[in-house]
Amino acid sequence: MVAEPGCAGTSTRQGPFADDCPSRVVLNHVANRWGTLIVTSLHEGPMRFHQIRDNIGGISEKMLSQSLRLLIRDGLIDRTVEPSTPPRVTYSLTPLGLELAALLRTLVDWITLRTDDIVAAQERYDRAQSA
Amino acid sequence: MVAEPGCAGTSTRQGPFADDCPSRVVLNHVANRWGTLIVTSLHEGPMRFHQIRDNIGGISEKMLSQSLRLLIRDGLIDRTVEPSTPPRVTYSLTPLGLELAALLRTLVDWITLRTDDIVAAQERYDRAQSA
DNA sequence: CGGTATCCCATGCGATACTG
DNA sequence: CAGTATCGCATGGGATACCG
């Protein structure tokens, strides 16, 4: 055994700070270009494939499909198929995913709220650099 | 004007869900492979370059330097140089960055706590697929 | 110590076309 | 509708070497 799940005793680093810990992988599934937005979208409620795509500007079907599969594998999202014609597929958060979505929602809301401040900081920085 | 900072009225989407909103860029600075870990590291207190590098397994100096510059530009991190020989450079969170770090810390802690559950889900998924 | 510059490979990701 | 397959480029990111 090299790195146990919790990664408590393998090095001085813990959790995602250790690069050989499974939690690092999980963090990368969530904290990437699309993961946060997908999970946060589903916090509104169950959605179908095209609904999610339309809710997230600029995401391609390929990346949505690929990201969904990773998150389903991680046990964060459920995929439900109603056997009709055509089949109706719905994505929803698992109890585990719901916990995570609440946290990510807070993050997204904070960024939305603070974007003005951040843009102002960027402009200050750029002006200082050009001087 | 195309997209105002808050991105409230430009489309049906808001905040980072709109791909032309500045908040999307900010989200990508924070929610990527290294951003979350860097900001969370500094939640412990001010740190020097090599301390941060040593605290985050697998990060290269190039990516640390590059990511730090983006986060400094966003007004989330401060860079302080003490004029000694050799100069001593310290990175710390700004008040804005501290707010963010608290949120990200919660995220990292949750992932650390739930890694066992997630790994179990992954193994269940993989077994179901191979069957 | 605290970085930057360059090189180059790996992969993320979009565009397009196709399937049940 | 709900995807998958293939292609190809743009970017991310590591290795190495170098600078104040």
Side-chain angles (χ1 to χ4, degrees), chain B residues 30 60 68 107 116 122:
Chain B
V30 168
S60 65
L68 279 171
L107 173 65
D116 289 5
Q122 291 171 348

Side-chain angles (χ1 to χ4, degrees), chain B residues 69-129:
Chain B
R69 232 180 300 128
L70 286 175
L71 296 168
I72 290 167
R73 178 171 181 267
D74 292 340
L76 299 170
I77 291 181
D78 259 342
R79 182 181 191 271
T80 311
V81 184
E82 286 179 56
S84 54
T85 47
R88 173 177 294 247
V89 182
T90 307
Y91 297 91
S92 58
L93 294 169
T94 63
L96 201 60
L98 187 59
E99 289 181 27
L100 178 63
L103 299 181
L104 294 179
R105 179 60 185 276
T106 312
L107 173 65
V108 168
D109 286 349
W110 184 88
I111 290 179
T112 305
L113 193 68
R114 295 303 196 178
T115 295
D116 289 5
D117 295 326
I118 293 173
V119 169
Q122 291 171 348
E123 287 168 358
R124 247 179 287 121
Y125 181 94
D126 293 342
R127 248 181 291 113
Q129 295 309 306

Side-chain angles (χ1 to χ4, degrees), chain A residues 73-108:
Chain A
R73 178 170 181 266
D74 291 341
L76 300 170
I77 291 181
D78 258 341
R79 182 180 191 270
T80 312
V81 184
E82 287 180 55
S84 54
T85 48
R88 174 176 293 250
V89 181
T90 307
Y91 296 91
S92 58
L93 294 169
T94 63
L96 200 61
L98 186 60
E99 289 183 25
L100 178 62
L103 299 181
L104 293 179
R105 179 63 184 277
T106 312
L107 173 65
V108 168

